[in-house]
Amino acid sequence: MDFLQLFLELAQSTVRLSTPLILAALAGLFTERAGVFDIGLEGKMLGGAFAAGCVAFVAQSAMAGLLAAIVVSVLLSLVHGYASITQRGNQIVSGVAINFIVAGSTVILGEAWFHQGGRTPALAEGARFQAIELPFTEALRGVPLLGPIYADLISGHQALTYLAFLMVPASWWILYRTRFGLRLRAVGENPGAVDTAGISVIWMRYRGVICCGILCGIAGAYLSLAANAGWTKGMTAGKGYIALAALIFAKWRPVPVMFACLLFGFLDAFAIRYQSTPLPLIGKVPVQLMQALPYILTVVLLAGFIGKAIPPRAGGVPYVKER
């Protein structure tokens, strides 16, 4: 196997594994820029994946599954918003509670509804998102270097993968070039000044939370309708926490978020590709160590190797309107 083919295989796996991380990290970007800390990304992704798997199986439609995932994830986001924005509760506790509740309830409901040991029935091809072949793929395949990159790396992904990467510039434009983005960032930095200008801080934060729910729902739908053929118990496997680490690593900026997620996705792809292959000068590495690589990097980065990451000043602080 030549170097180019090896690179393309590893890069293609990196893109696939990075897709849910990018969507979840961008989801956290919107809510945290609004001043609401959200550790419940994991629970919303898992809830969305469960809803997508169930509805796609019943309706035999990937789009119906995607819509169900978004609805469930947005509802969970609104629960978090009600607890942390309206009731001014502890945002960490609210997010952790959502993670625990979803992790337990999905298993119970899945077993009660389908009796398949903590998973939904396997989805047929029509109920899943299929790979898309971009125009001129076959015509360009024979072109040296650029042809294989276009045919094997850029082409051949599901629609949700392309959507995830398109959401990176879209998120940048929304946050930095629109009135909504300016107000959202202002709410996360100085909510008192925003309130003085006659803008509802509560409503702006709820809008950020809803954006988070939509993106988490898409990330969950990707897991069960594109990356897999249905929902399985604990299929998020900590991806919500890794996305949160990528968001902090990228210092709450959309484009660095994408590169941080690609880094985590690369480590995951590397672990899968080489977990049983002896490495030069090292030999065969235990499978458990290879599988732990993304989580080890998470701990290392958050331990202080990323420089000083300054979150939005009003992040995690409930807003109390001055009388």
Side-chain angles (χ1 to χ4, degrees), residues 2 29 33 44 46 53 58 60 70 83 87 90 135 141 145 152 165 174-175 187 198 200 215 247 280 283 294 307 314:
D2 60 9
L29 176 66
R33 278 293 187 179
K44 287 192 277 289
L46 186 59
V58 174
Q60 288 299 301
I70 292 174
Q87 298 298 322
N90 187 292
R141 188 180 293 274
L145 187 61
D152 297 330
F165 282 90
I174 290 170
L175 286 173
V187 164
S200 172
L215 291 172
L247 179 61

Side-chain angles (χ1 to χ4, degrees), residues 125-151:
E125 285 191 4
R128 300 179 58 204
F129 287 99
Q130 302 300 314
I132 298 173
E133 187 174 290
L134 297 179
F136 312 112
T137 297
E138 291 304 320
L140 294 174
R141 188 180 293 274
V143 177
L145 187 61
L146 295 180
I149 292 176
Y150 180 78

Side-chain angles (χ1 to χ4, degrees), residues 127-297:
R128 300 179 58 204
F129 287 99
Q130 302 300 314
I132 298 173
E133 187 174 290
L134 297 179
F136 312 112
T137 297
E138 291 304 320
L140 294 174
R141 188 180 293 274
V143 177
L145 187 61
L146 295 180
I149 292 176
Y150 180 78
D152 297 330
L153 178 58
I154 299 175
S155 180
H157 297 285
Q158 292 91 350
L160 297 184
T161 299
Y162 296 113
L163 176 62
F165 282 90
L166 286 174
M167 280 304 303
V168 176
S171 298
W172 177 87
W173 183 79
I174 290 170
L175 286 173
Y176 294 99
R177 290 294 183 269
T178 66
R179 180 181 298 177
F180 167 74
L182 174 63
R183 291 177 175 179
L184 192 74
R185 289 185 292 119
V187 164
E189 294 291 340
N190 193 341
V194 175
D195 191 27
T196 303
I199 301 169
S200 172
V201 174
I202 302 300
W203 173 229
M204 285 303 303
R205 287 188 169 180
Y206 265 108
R207 290 168 73 181
V209 164
I210 291 170
C211 291
C212 174
I214 293 172
L215 291 172
C216 277
I218 298 173
Y222 175 85
L223 291 175
S224 56
L225 304 183
N228 298 281
W231 175 85
T232 58
K233 174 184 175 182
M235 70 184 310
T236 48
K239 288 181 175 60
Y241 300 111
I242 293 178
L244 187 60
L247 179 61
I248 298 171
F249 177 43
K251 299 180 181 178
W252 295 271
R253 293 173 296 173
V255 175
V257 159
M258 179 188 70
F259 287 114
C261 291
L262 285 171
L263 174 60
F264 285 111
F266 170 76
L267 285 176
D268 207 358
F270 182 85
I272 294 171
R273 177 68 177 80
Y274 293 102
Q275 62 184 6
S276 300
T277 304
L279 299 178
L281 304 177
I282 299 176
K284 190 173 181 179
V285 180
V287 174
Q288 294 83 357
L289 179 60
M290 295 295 285
Q291 292 174 340
L293 275 179
Y295 308 99
I296 293 173
L297 179 64

Side-chain angles (χ1 to χ4, degrees), residues 34-106:
V36 180
F37 188 78
D38 195 352
I39 203 173
L41 300 176
E42 177 87 1
K44 287 192 277 289
M45 286 176 64
L46 186 59
F50 177 73
C54 293
V55 173
F57 173 74
V58 174
Q60 288 299 301
S61 168
M63 291 305 298
L66 174 62
L67 180 61
I70 292 174
V71 169
V72 168
S73 183
V74 168
L75 289 175
L76 290 170
S77 288
L78 290 175
V79 170
H80 178 61
Y82 177 76
S84 58
I85 301 173
T86 303
Q87 298 298 322
R88 305 188 189 97
N90 187 292
Q91 298 174 7
I92 302 294
V93 173
S94 174
V96 170
I98 288 174
N99 291 341
F100 285 162
I101 291 171
V102 173
S105 61
T106 50

